[in-house]
């Protein structure tokens, strides 16, 4: 465990399993439909990469870049 982390609430394996399940659900729900995935750059990219690896249907991918004022 990393210094400063008291306890792990969700393990890496649990996260991987849920992302796989989400990919399967999205593939099933959007089968035969146009699927466009839009992500906010930087914050979502790692999650998004894992998710789209688990989507088995064609997708269109786009990104938003935002800044705070």
């Amino acid at each position: 465990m990393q210094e400063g982390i008291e306890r792990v609430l969700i393990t890496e394996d649990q996260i991987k399993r849920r992302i796989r399940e989400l990919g399967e659900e999205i593939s099933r729900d959007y089968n035969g439909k146009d699927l466009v995935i839009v992500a906010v750059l930087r914050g979502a990219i790692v999650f998004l990469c894992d998710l789209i690896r688990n989507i088995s249907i064609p997708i269109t991918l786009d990104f938003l870049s935002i800044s705070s004022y």
Side-chain angles (χ1 to χ4, degrees), residues 16-30 35 47 50-57:
K16 287 179 182 179
R17 183 174 52 249
R18 185 60 183 136
I19 290 172
R20 185 174 49 252
E21 292 169 354
L22 286 170
E24 292 168 357
E25 288 177 35
I26 290 168
S27 298
R28 189 172 47 251
D29 292 347
Y30 286 88
L35 177 58
F47 168 76
D50 290 340
L51 179 62
I52 62 176
R53 283 188 195 103
N54 289 283
I55 295 175
S56 60
I57 61 173

Side-chain angles (χ1 to χ4, degrees), residues 2-25:
Q2 287 184 310
E3 185 178 326
I5 297 177
E6 187 175 316
R7 65 185 173 118
V8 174
L9 299 176
I10 303 171
T11 68
E12 182 178 349
D13 287 339
Q14 289 172 311
I15 293 169
K16 287 179 182 179
R17 183 174 52 249
R18 185 60 183 136
I19 290 172
R20 185 174 49 252
E21 292 169 354
L22 286 170
E24 292 168 357
E25 288 177 35

